[in-house]
Structure formats: C-alpha cells, structure tokens
Amino acid sequence: MNQDFQELEQDDAIIGTAFTVSLIVFAVLGIGGYAAYHFLKPEPEIVETETLPTTLPAVQTEREQELPAIPWTDITKSAGINFVHENGYAGEKLLPETMGGGCAFFDYDSDGDQDLFFVNSRQWPWTNRDESSPATMKLYANDGTGNFTDVTSQTGLDVSHYGMGVACGDYDADGWVDLFISCLGEDRLFRNDEGRFVDVTASAKVGGKEDAWSSACGWFDYDGDGDLDLFVAHYVVWSREYDQSQEFTILGNIPAYGRPQNFEGTFPSLYRNDGDGKFTEVSEAAGLHVLNPATQTPLAKSLGVAFEDFDADGDPDIFISNDTVQNFLFVNQGNGTFAESATLAGVAFDLQGAARGAMGVDISHFRNDPGIGVAVGNFSNEMTALYVTRENNLQFYDEAVSNGLGPSTRLQLSFSVLFLDADLDGRLDLVQTNGHLEEEINKVQASQTYAQSPQLFWNVGAETENEFVSLPVEKTGEAFAEPMVGRGAAYADIDADGDLDLVFTATGQPPRLLQNDQQHGYHWLRVKLTALGKNRNALGASLELTVDGRSQIRTVSPTRGYLSQVELPVTFGLGGSDHIDELKIRWPDGTEQRLENLDVDQFLSIEQPSP
C-alpha cells in the first residue's frame, strides 16, 4: 500500500529469492503439474519483499472500435445521502487514517429493495476535538426508487467505533440479514432483530483482540454444514506509539504516513458457526496461519478477501490480497482445513516475482466460460493484476498487460476493483476506485495526485487485442470521472430499472452515489435465490445462464472489492437477445435445478425446491 517516498536501496537478495521461488514453481509444473504437487504437498517458500516499481510497455494502441456511452449521474445529495466519513485525522498522520472505509448494499428490512450502509471511523480518543455528536455508522433505507432515508438511530446503529469493513449475512437463518463490522480494536456483530440491530459481539465471541486491526471480512460456509461461518482478515500490528516512533517523512522534512513494511504481519481469524448464536475461532487448526520463513512471525498484511470454488470441488476457497507481501490462495481441502497454494498457482507475486501493494480483489468468469479471472488493485506505479486460469485449473497467468488493463492502471493507486456488466451487453466490465495516501504526493512524484479519477474498463471481448478499454470521460460523464480519494465500492440496482448503480467511498470525505443512465436498450435478468436450510441466501451458489448458445456464470458471493459488500441478487446482461434458453442453478448443497424459456427484463425470485 504505502511506498517509501525516500530513496531506498533495492534489496537484490530478496528479489533474487523471489525469482528463485518462481523458477522452482515452473520446475515443479514441468515435472508433474499441480496434481503431483497437491499429492506430495511440499511447503511453498513464501518471501516478503519491498514494493518496487514495475516497468511496463506503453499503453497499446486501441483498435478501431466505437466505445459505448455508459453515463452516470451523481445523485448523492438528491437521493438523501449526507454521510461524511470521519478518519480521525488531527495532524499526527497515523496509518489507519488512510484506509477506511467500507460500504454495503443489502436489504436490511426485507422489503425487496437494496438499502445502503456506510462504515465509519471516529476521532482519536486522545484529541480534544468536540465529540458532542460523535461520528457513527450510517444506514439509509431505500424506498424502492433510489431515494433514501437515514434510519441509523431507529435501527440501533448509531454506534461510534473505528470501523473499517462490513460483512452482511444471515448467520442465524431467521430471514433477516445481520451485520459484522471489522474495526481497529474490537470488532462488532449486530444481529438483525426484524429491522432493529442488537450488538451480540460478546455472546457470539467474535470481537477478536482489542488491539487488532481488522480489515476485509465476509460470510461463507467453509465446512459445508449449511450455516454461515465468518472470515476476518487483519492488516498489521499497529499502535500509535510505534507509528509515531518511525518518524516517516517525504523529502526528508514533510511528515508522511507509514510504510507497511515497517509493521509486523498478522494472522486472519476464522470463526466457525456453532449453530447456537456462538462461534469458535479455528484459523490455526484450519491451516490459515502462514509464517514468514525468515522471521517465523505472521506474514499476512491483508486488505482484500473474496471467495470462489477455484477447483470446482464444491467447497469455497479463499483468495486474500496482501500489502507488500505475497497474496494467498487457500484451497479448501474439504475436511475443515485449507492448503496455501498461491505461489504454485501463480497469484502470489507479479511477473517479476515481486510482491505488490495489494488492496481490493474481485473474482469472476469475465470471459463467459468456466475459466476464472482474479482482479487485484495495487499501489501506484504498479498495475492492476488480472490473474486468469482455465477451467478447473489452478495455474494462473497475469494477463493484465496483454489484454490492455495493466498499462492503463499503472499510475493509479487502486483500492476497490469490481466486475459488473455496466451496459448489460452480456460481458463483465471492471470498475476501480483510485486515490493516494498523501495529500502532498505531487511534490514527490509529478505523475501522482491525492484525489484520482475512478476508472471503468469496458469489456470488448476476448477475441480483441485490447480486451479491456478504459472509457474516457466523454463516455462515462464528469460525475463518474471526478477525482476523489477513493476507497470502497459496491453495486446494486437501487431504482429497479435492471441496470447496476454504484457507490464509492472516500476516506475523510463524502461518498459518491452514481445512478447508471445507460440507454442501450439491452435486455436483462435479475435473480434472487432462497435456499433450504440455514444458508437461506444461498451464498456459494452458482448460476449459469444460456442465451443463444452462449453462457454466463455467476457466483452468489457479496464479499467483493475493498472492505465492502455488493447486493445479493445476481444481474445478467442479455444484450439484444429477447429470450433465455436455460438457467442452471447449482445450490450450495450441490443439488441442481434447471429452468427453461424464461422471460427477459424481470426480477426472478427462486426458492430451492424441497427434495
């Protein structure tokens, strides 16, 4: 995340070790491939490296192609959103001030539309600023048309803490979606009691350590027992005293935010749902504690998490994006444990074998085939990663440069990345939020600014030279492209018109709620699943839609991007097709359901049939 803005000596030994890891990987692949490795299970070498600039080719020349207009309108104020993020800044430049905060679209009152939630931080307790009205989280109820009302106080969420991320999930299977908030300090779990939230952190035993710094979080059923378990990533070991003692500066005399390389790593938390409103922390037993082999201390410095069944065995795997150390890919073994496989799979490092300053992550079948793409937002002077694999194959290749995405993201400091079909043409596009850490970064790097424009990459199609093309401001509108200090992002159809709207958050600033005003006239289908058993919202279910012989694949998994959650319903863009051949659903328990000859342009609510 934060690079050192002074001149640093490059540690050739460390980089050489990273290259050695890559060579070992290719040797193993040549001898026996992933299957042999998986059988023998050697311990992969994990290397912590400095974040270094990557030399890239110039942006490729775009082929002649008419780019679509996908304009967005800023409706933040007109829709009733008056939230302002409080990061606590009071002149000391403490690292947590740069990180928040998350947001979520979810249906808190079970009325069928998508409400909007913002995580907030707060003032530091040692400052003397006025706290007669402390900063709190904010919940806005949607009236079904995209107009929102602040219901924070009446729902019991007018609570102040130094929040970071949010996870939405009905962990007690009562039909009401609950909220988990990751924090600097004790985390919080709020049970949704028919529209009013009750703090059950203590009784559920998910508060974590009081001195921990939690980041990305999400609900999923890792052990296949039918109820939702909770994963919580952590960033670094942090204290005010240690942060200040580092005396970080730029240009030798301007106070700066700290470098994550100077802070110790952490272990994630995995809370197993015991089915009685209580959880048991099982991360070590589950194989999620990864040590730095050189120091025997926790390696992870995690900021992003997403779940996907990478090997198609019916169990959800975990991808974690780490800051200045390698990313993790925890492959679910089906017995309550995970095997860390990122180095072998090719998703741990960049093309040169170095770790990057990774923030948010999203996963999709963006080529409308069984292959999987993993997008990771990275620090400035690094590019957004796009690791791609083929069907049921745990060998990835970073194709960001070859398909046009990488060079167009090289200068930005990217936090959230999200796949969505912005124009409903049937191909998943990619949006990312950008924004630096230092207000005065331009004094050090002329190419950098504090506020940076979000980016929308239109998916042209896999058969083209530049698969992703960044849409210029004349195609997205100034409301979308206006620079901001972007952090979290989420999408939902807030006005029930079939296309997806966006919200971006900014640290220490107001968010931006964007209404999608595309006018292509393409058809669409939106699907909301209700499963049998305790996983009522069918997290982990897979949907495959076939139109004119072409398929699209989606996974029900709202944990995406950076510290945020997208809506539960799944949206398929159909382009000009006016009929649907088939919708195949693979429910979380492994059963399958097929529906044929569906009408287009509808919201379809599907309940899992009884056996």
Side-chain angles (χ1 to χ4, degrees):
M1 186 260 307
N2 190 5
Q3 291 177 317
D4 188 4
F5 300 115
Q6 302 177 23
E7 292 186 359
L8 297 173
E9 291 186 3
Q10 297 183 354
D11 190 338
D12 294 332
I14 293 177
I15 299 304
T17 305
F19 275 112
T20 301
V21 170
S22 299
L23 292 174
I24 292 173
V25 168
F26 286 119
V28 171
L29 290 174
I31 294 171
Y34 178 77
Y37 173 86
H38 185 68
F39 178 78
L40 297 173
K41 288 186 173 61
E43 188 70 21
E45 185 178 357
I46 301 166
V47 180
E48 179 171 5
T49 73
E50 300 284 352
T51 303
L52 298 174
T54 300
T55 302
L56 299 174
V59 177
Q60 300 175 23
T61 303
E62 298 171 4
R63 72 187 186 97
E64 292 186 7
Q65 173 103 21
E66 182 177 354
L67 300 180
I70 311 178
W72 307 78
T73 300
D74 187 342
I75 61 169
T76 311
K77 292 182 179 179
S78 62
I81 305 300
N82 59 1
F83 172 75
V84 178
H85 181 259
E86 169 65 69
N87 64 7
Y89 176 72
E92 291 185 317
K93 291 223 165 184
L94 302 174
L95 186 57
E97 297 165 1
T98 67
M99 306 305 295
C103 58
F105 281 115
F106 77 115
D107 185 4
Y108 95 92
D109 50 5
S110 296
D111 65 353
D113 55 38
Q114 299 302 309
D115 309 302
L116 181 53
F117 176 80
F118 293 102
V119 180
N120 207 353
S121 300
R122 65 181 180 189
Q123 297 178 16
W124 296 113
W126 50 81
T127 62
N128 295 319
R129 297 165 62 186
D130 178 26
E131 280 218 289
S132 57
S133 298
T136 72
M137 310 177 281
K138 285 291 183 180
L139 177 62
Y140 294 90
N142 190 347
D143 68 357
T145 67
N147 292 307
F148 293 86
T149 301
D150 186 343
V151 294
T152 308
S153 296
Q154 67 195 61
T155 57
L157 291 176
D158 51 343
V159 178
S160 182
H161 48 232
Y162 208 99
M164 286 285 156
V166 55
C168 311
D170 183 8
Y171 77 89
D172 54 0
D174 64 352
W176 298 82
V177 180
D178 311 297
L179 283 178
F180 177 85
I181 313 299
S182 63
C183 301
L184 177 67
E186 185 183 26
D187 299 324
R188 311 293 283 272
L189 175 61
F190 294 89
R191 180 175 60 82
N192 189 340
D193 186 9
E194 298 186 2
R196 183 168 179 82
F197 291 88
V198 179
D199 190 335
V200 295
T201 307
S203 61
K205 301 180 180 180
V206 294
K209 298 179 181 179
E210 293 184 358
D211 60 350
W213 182 351
S214 300
S215 53
C217 49
W219 299 94
F220 72 136
D221 181 11
Y222 87 95
D223 52 5
D225 65 353
D227 55 26
L228 294 183
D229 310 298
L230 177 63
F231 179 88
V232 183
H234 300 110
Y235 187 35
V236 296
V237 176
W238 182 87
S239 70
R240 177 194 181 198
E241 293 73 21
Y242 182 78
D243 198 337
Q244 289 183 312
S245 71
Q246 301 299 303
E247 298 183 348
F248 298 103
T249 62
I250 54 178
L251 297 179
N253 58 358
I254 301 175
Y257 287 107
R259 303 168 59 245
Q261 292 95 328
N262 290 56
F263 296 85
E264 291 185 11
T266 57
F267 293 133
S269 297
L270 177 61
Y271 296 99
R272 186 189 65 219
N273 190 337
D274 294 331
D276 56 357
K278 296 182 175 60
F279 294 78
T280 300
E281 207 287 311
V282 296
S283 60
E284 184 174 9
L288 300 180
H289 285 194
V290 180
L291 293 172
N292 184 323
T295 62
Q296 293 301 300
T297 58
L299 179 63
K301 299 178 181 182
S302 306
L303 290 174
V305 65
F307 310 113
E308 180 66 41
D309 185 4
F310 286 98
D311 51 4
D313 63 354
D315 301 313
D317 310 307
I318 309 171
F319 189 100
I320 300 175
S321 51
N322 285 314
D323 188 1
T324 71
V325 299
Q326 69 161 83
N327 300 320
F328 293 154
L329 174 57
F330 288 106
V331 179
N332 196 325
Q333 303 298 288
N335 59 3
T337 68
F338 295 83
E340 204 294 293
S341 307
T343 302
L344 182 76
V347 297
F349 304 105
D350 67 10
L351 293 172
Q352 285 73 44
R356 289 183 275 205
M359 266 69 82
V361 57
D362 197 8
I363 303 170
S364 77
H365 299 269
F366 70 93
R367 286 176 178 157
N368 291 336
D369 62 22
I372 295 174
V374 180
V376 180
N378 292 308
F379 200 78
S380 58
N381 297 315
E382 300 170 344
M383 63 182 180
T384 295
L386 186 61
Y387 302 107
V388 183
T389 188
R390 302 296 180 255
E391 179 178 6
N392 303 337
N393 182 345
L394 282 176
Q395 181 59 54
F396 288 79
Y397 301 91
D398 190 346
E399 299 184 7
V401 172
S402 62
N403 69 16
L405 179 66
S408 298
T409 61
R410 176 173 45 184
L411 295 180
Q412 284 73 21
L413 199 168
S414 304
F415 275 83
S416 187
V417 286
L418 287 177
F419 287 104
L420 76 161
D421 189 351
D423 58 351
L424 301 177
D425 66 352
R427 297 186 298 270
L428 288 173
D429 312 302
L430 183 68
V431 65
Q432 66 179 43
T433 61
N434 305 312
H436 215 282
L437 313 179
E438 296 288 349
E439 290 188 58
E440 298 180 279
I441 186 60
N442 189 252
K443 294 181 179 180
V444 183
Q445 298 181 38
S447 64
Q448 294 296 311
T449 58
Y450 183 48
Q452 299 178 3
S453 295
Q455 291 173 286
L456 175 58
F457 293 91
W458 181 54
N459 187 339
V460 186
E463 68 282 357
T464 62
E465 180 182 1
N466 282 352
E467 193 169 358
F468 283 97
V469 176
S470 180
L471 293 185
V473 62
E474 56 266 25
K475 297 296 183 180
T476 63
E478 294 183 0
F480 179 93
E482 180 70 20
M484 64 186 302
V485 190
R487 294 297 184 260
Y491 59 73
D493 180 10
I494 63 173
D495 48 9
D497 64 353
D499 57 27
L500 293 172
D501 310 294
L502 285 167
V503 64
F504 300 146
T505 67
T507 181
Q509 298 179 358
R512 183 179 302 169
L513 181 61
L514 295 166
Q515 178 179 278
N516 190 338
D517 288 332
Q518 62 86 25
Q519 298 292 328
H520 296 288
Y522 292 147
H523 298 294
W524 50 272
L525 178 71
R526 287 173 49 75
V527 182
K528 170 68 168 62
L529 300 181
T530 302
L532 298 173
K534 296 180 180 180
N535 183 3
R536 293 174 59 93
N537 290 322
L539 298 190
S542 176
L543 299 89
E544 183 174 354
L545 186 81
T546 303
V547 176
D548 296 332
R550 300 186 301 273
S551 295
Q552 300 180 42
I553 302 172
R554 304 281 190 273
T555 301
V556 179
S557 184
T559 302
R560 301 177 182 276
Y562 177 74
L563 305 181
S564 301
Q565 301 266 280
V566 303
E567 65 171 355
L568 272 172
V570 171
T571 297
F572 292 96
L574 307 179
S577 299
D578 59 2
H579 69 283
I580 296 169
D581 300 332
E582 181 185 65
L583 175 63
K584 181 171 67 175
I585 303 169
R586 187 180 187 275
W587 294 94
D589 62 6
T591 60
E592 292 190 357
Q593 181 181 1
R594 297 173 185 267
L595 297 90
E596 298 180 345
N597 300 318
L598 299 173
D599 293 332
V600 301
D601 301 337
Q602 66 164 322
F603 183 96
L604 192 60
S605 183
I606 303 174
E607 296 186 5
Q608 183 179 5
S610 300

